[in-house]
Amino acid sequence: MAENTITLAHGSGGRAMSQLIEDLFRCAFDNPWLNQGNDCAVMDSPPGRLVMATDSHVITPLFFPGGDIGSLAVHGTLNDVAMSGGKPISLSVAFILEEGFPLADLERIVRSMADAARQAGVPVVTGDTKVVPRGQADGVYITTTGLGRVSEGVNIAGSRARPGDAILVSGTLGDHGVAILSLRENLQFQTTLESDTAALHELVASMLAAVPDIHCLRDPTRGGLSCCLYELAQQSGVGMIIEEAQLPVREAVAGACELLGLDPLNVANEGKLVAICPGHQAQALLAALHHHPLGREAAIIGQVVEDAHGLVRLKTRYGGMRHVEWLAGEALPRIC
Amino acid sequence: MAENTITLAHGSGGRAMSQLIEDLFRCAFDNPWLNQGNDCAVMDSPPGRLVMATDSHVITPLFFPGGDIGSLAVHGTLNDVAMSGGKPISLSVAFILEEGFPLADLERIVRSMADAARQAGVPVVTGDTKVVPRGQADGVYITTTGLGRVSEGVNIAGSRARPGDAILVSGTLGDHGVAILSLRENLQFQTTLESDTAALHELVASMLAAVPDIHCLRDPTRGGLSCCLYELAQQSGVGMIIEEAQLPVREAVAGACELLGLDPLNVANEGKLVAICPGHQAQALLAALHHHPLGREAAIIGQVVEDAHGLVRLKTRYGGMRHVEWLAGEALPRIC
């Protein structure tokens, strides 16, 4: 029994850890950098500018429709890299495992990470494993860090939104958060709600090819679209107006949100992005988005306006205008 | 009361998280990359080769003589970068916080990280914060990732030990592990045992200036010297013989080990390194070590020999020879 679970020895630095690394991690992630077998990875430095991003992943449940903590941990960090306009070049991964965690589950997660990394074309070059005694974590937490290369001429930052700019989203809102919540609350739907977890760097590359002067990119994860827009508005010192009628939300997600008392604007996404670009380039950017499988349901959802208070407002379906709420509390712990 | 502790809202992606980042993290780590305020940091790419290393830190207790989880999380990762011969250039940090964790403790930890990073001359350029409900972590876990630059001509790897090479350590063994264990077991000593936690990259730079052809560097953390030597022996396909009489161990550490039933060879260090270099350069390397404050008690402890089985043996004080044990179990969970 104990042979099929994680023990404290797997985090000891000794022989059991060595074997776990050899048999599981190196085998799954197999690449020349990881195979160096050192506590670090040495690689060629890319020309130009470098981008670095990190994210811990503590989602529960570990496995969900559309993905698992492993694929999420790869996509989440690749997307943070991609939001600089960068092309990801490497990932590191650090596991915090709870004593007693089933080895079969760890294997499933690691294989899913390896698949996600391979599909994205980004090697997992180095890593770390810690084990904490039973009851001091919940199964597994995964921290990934990504490196990427930013090309000449690309200059994307949260501070670059300007009045007159257009605001776009790459697809439907709230899919990830609602899929996880439905699972936790054991809600039944006629259609299966799936997380949208996906790596967005190739989508970003096609967007940049069409519109090199994108001002801002950000992925609306925890806190959803509303938090994402508030952050950008505050950073740029501008206001935003979005139109309810333009927001792409799946029917099943809208229904579940009603049932759960949630606003899709506040719900996490893991395979979507918000883009802000000069107003006259919005149609070109939308066309580029629609051309890519991950942007088929993209929409222009609003515009940047002058506003010293950095407010985000919503034009309702009925023509009214209200402030979008900037989430103060927490409805959805461990959503990512 | 709740205002003085971490709440789930601090991990929500919303306003409370934004405030925590602004008031605590940005203020403490203050640097132009973090101040970009994006979910990633863009910096100039260094010339040559790049090194990447990551480590999660789950030590208990969080505060200990000589340091805390914050300084340890900075030193631990900087040292992994340094063990490639690299000069660290940036760090990322990801916190997993338990709901209810005292904000004052988090502040103390963050300030200690910031001090350690500043002393090392390495900015914390990006980060992440997750909060898990009470009982799903133990206070705080910190994952740091480091980037560094490896100079032309430096070629250090665990696979480069050759028969005839000399094995050196940079100072006394077991200080960190015994300091933590004594605290946990509430042992009283006449002298205070302190963790040796320290950043080693400047020591490494002076070593490389004296002996550019160092073959291997590794920091004997979890699992201690014995695990470190076994890893290197296995990677290089060689054996090693070390001499008990040459191993630098403080009297207080030796005493505590006897009391706790531990072998100093298996106990974690956080500010020491093992170096392997051609035998004829050992004296020059030792001199360089002795010249640096962190290498004052360095010693040549043994040599690399031919051995297809990759065994590590110890010549005892009395002239006998025994196999060094390659730790299979785990005596010291959460030591780093």
Side-chain angles (χ1 to χ4, degrees):
Chain A
M1 181 65 181
E3 277 174 30
N4 299 321
T5 62
I6 288 291
T7 65
L8 291 173
H10 286 115
S12 67
R15 193 189 284 245
M17 194 175 91
S18 221
Q19 247 161 28
L20 183 72
I21 292 171
E22 203 60 55
D23 297 350
L24 180 53
F25 300 129
R26 263 201 223 153
C27 188
F29 294 128
D30 185 41
N31 64 67
W33 302 276
L34 190 66
N35 295 343
Q36 290 166 1
N38 299 314
D39 290 338
C40 58
V42 175
M43 56 201 132
D44 287 331
S45 187
R49 285 166 302 156
L50 201 61
V51 52
M52 183 180 200
T54 194
D55 257 336
S56 289
H57 300 270
V58 298
I59 193 167
T60 184
L62 298 173
F63 303 96
F64 48 83
D68 55 58
I69 191 172
S71 55
L72 186 73
V74 169
H75 297 153
T77 290
L78 290 181
N79 290 348
D80 280 348
V81 167
M83 294 308 121
S84 68
K87 174 182 156 49
I89 52 176
S90 66
L91 279 169
S92 68
V93 54
F95 294 93
I96 297 175
L97 301 167
E98 185 189 10
E99 180 190 13
F101 187 65
L103 263 173
D105 285 353
L106 181 61
E107 275 178 39
R108 197 175 148 197
I109 289 165
V110 169
R111 290 194 198 292
S112 164
M113 292 193 83
D115 285 347
R118 207 163 287 127
Q119 262 181 37
V122 183
V124 174
V125 297
T126 191
D128 182 53
T129 312
K130 292 292 187 306
V131 180
V132 298
R134 219 176 279 267
Q136 297 180 2
D138 184 21
V140 54
Y141 298 146
I142 305 179
T143 303
T144 45
T145 305
L147 285 188
R149 179 204 163 172
V150 185
S151 297
E152 207 57 49
V154 173
N155 184 14
I156 293 169
S159 56
R160 290 196 65 217
R162 293 290 171 269
D165 282 358
I167 307 170
L168 294 86
V169 293
S170 64
T172 55
L173 297 171
D175 299 18
H176 174 76
V178 166
I180 302 302
L181 265 282
S182 307
L183 208 61
R184 286 196 208 155
E185 307 283 332
N186 207 11
L187 294 189
Q188 305 283 331
F189 295 98
Q190 282 186 306
T191 52
T192 310
L193 286 175
E194 282 205 349
S195 166
D196 57 349
T197 181
L200 296 169
H201 56 292
E202 287 172 5
L203 176 65
V204 169
S206 0
M207 291 166 67
L208 280 168
V211 178
D213 190 29
I214 295 173
H215 287 169
C216 315
L217 288 175
R218 190 154 297 178
D219 50 341
T221 55
R222 279 184 287 180
L225 181 69
S226 59
C227 286
C228 177
L229 294 182
Y230 262 108
E231 280 177 29
L232 295 171
Q234 300 281 327
Q235 263 181 278
S236 293
V238 295
M240 296 184 183
I241 296 175
I242 56 175
E243 298 190 33
E244 191 175 20
Q246 302 308 320
L247 298 174
V249 180
R250 278 183 217 287
E251 220 173 292
V253 169
C257 278
E258 221 174 290
L259 219 60
L260 295 163
L262 294 172
D263 183 337
L265 289 184
N266 297 335
V267 178
N269 309 276
E270 291 292 345
K272 300 291 156 41
L273 58 80
V274 170
I276 294 178
C277 73
H280 69 278
Q281 297 189 301
Q283 288 300 335
L285 191 56
L286 186 66
L289 277 156
H290 282 163
H291 199 71
H292 192 281
L294 292 173
R296 287 240 171 85
E297 292 167 287
I300 300 173
I301 60 165
Q303 59 174 324
V304 178
V305 296
E306 286 197 40
D307 182 348
H309 299 100
L311 285 179
V312 179
R313 286 174 293 165
L314 178 86
K315 201 182 278 177
T316 69
R317 268 175 223 282
Y318 313 106
M321 188 79 97
R322 68 166 175 87
H323 288 174
V324 170
E325 185 203 5
W326 191 6
L327 205 67
E330 170 57 289
L332 316 174
R334 297 185 61 191
I335 202 73
C336 63
Chain B
M1 182 64 181
E3 276 174 29
N4 299 322
T5 61
I6 288 291
T7 65
L8 291 172
H10 287 115
S12 66
R15 194 189 284 244
M17 194 175 92
S18 221
Q19 248 161 26
L20 183 72
I21 292 172
E22 203 61 56
D23 297 350
L24 180 54
F25 300 128
R26 264 202 221 151
C27 188
F29 294 127
D30 185 40
N31 64 66
W33 301 276
L34 190 66
N35 295 343
Q36 290 166 1
N38 299 315
D39 290 337
C40 57
V42 176
M43 56 201 131
D44 287 331
S45 188
R49 286 166 302 156
L50 200 62
V51 52
M52 183 180 199
T54 194
D55 256 338
S56 288
H57 300 270
V58 299
I59 194 168
T60 184
L62 298 173
F63 304 96
F64 48 83
D68 55 59
I69 191 172
S71 54
L72 186 73
V74 169
H75 298 153
T77 291
L78 289 181
N79 290 348
D80 280 348
V81 167
M83 295 308 120
S84 67
K87 176 182 156 47
I89 52 176
S90 66
L91 279 171
S92 67
V93 54
F95 294 93
I96 296 175
L97 301 167
E98 185 189 10
E99 180 189 14
F101 187 66
L103 263 173
D105 285 352
L106 181 61
E107 274 179 39
R108 198 175 147 198
I109 289 165
V110 169
R111 289 194 200 292
S112 164
M113 293 192 82
D115 285 347
R118 207 163 286 126
Q119 262 180 37
V122 184
V124 174
V125 296
T126 191
D128 182 53
T129 312
K130 293 291 188 304
V131 180
V132 297
R134 219 176 279 268
Q136 298 180 1
D138 185 21
V140 54
Y141 299 146
I142 304 179
T143 303
T144 44
T145 305
L147 285 189
R149 180 205 161 167
V150 186
S151 296
E152 207 57 50
V154 173
N155 183 14
I156 292 170
S159 56
R160 290 196 65 218
R162 293 289 171 270
D165 282 358
I167 307 170
L168 294 85
V169 294
S170 64
T172 54
L173 297 171
D175 298 19
H176 174 76
V178 167
I180 302 301
L181 265 281
S182 308
L183 209 60
R184 286 195 208 157
E185 307 283 333
N186 209 10
L187 294 189
Q188 305 282 331
F189 295 96
Q190 281 186 307
T191 53
T192 310
L193 287 175
E194 282 205 351
S195 166
D196 57 349
T197 181
L200 296 170
H201 57 291
E202 287 172 5
L203 176 66
V204 169
S206 1
M207 291 166 66
L208 279 168
V211 178
D213 191 29
I214 295 173
H215 287 169
C216 315
L217 288 175
R218 191 154 298 179
D219 50 343
T221 56
R222 278 184 287 180
L225 181 69
S226 59
C227 286
C228 177
L229 294 182
Y230 262 107
E231 279 176 29
L232 294 171
Q234 299 282 328
Q235 263 181 277
S236 293
V238 296
M240 297 186 182
I241 296 176
I242 55 176
E243 299 189 33
E244 191 175 20
Q246 302 309 319
L247 298 174
V249 179
R250 276 184 218 289
E251 220 172 293
V253 169
C257 278
E258 221 174 289
L259 221 60
L260 295 163
L262 295 171
D263 184 337
L265 289 183
N266 297 336
V267 178
N269 309 277
E270 291 291 345
K272 300 290 157 41
L273 58 79
V274 170
I276 294 178
C277 72
H280 69 277
Q281 298 190 298
Q283 289 300 336
L285 190 55
L286 186 66
L289 277 157
H290 283 163
H291 198 71
H292 191 280
L294 292 173
R296 288 238 171 85
E297 292 165 286
I300 300 173
I301 60 165
Q303 59 175 323
V304 178
V305 296
E306 287 198 39
D307 181 348
H309 300 100
L311 284 179
V312 179
R313 286 174 295 165
L314 179 85
K315 200 182 280 177
T316 69
R317 269 176 223 280
Y318 312 105
M321 187 80 96
R322 66 166 176 88
H323 287 173
V324 171
E325 183 204 7
W326 191 5
L327 204 68
E330 170 57 289
L332 316 174
R334 297 185 61 190
I335 202 72
C336 64

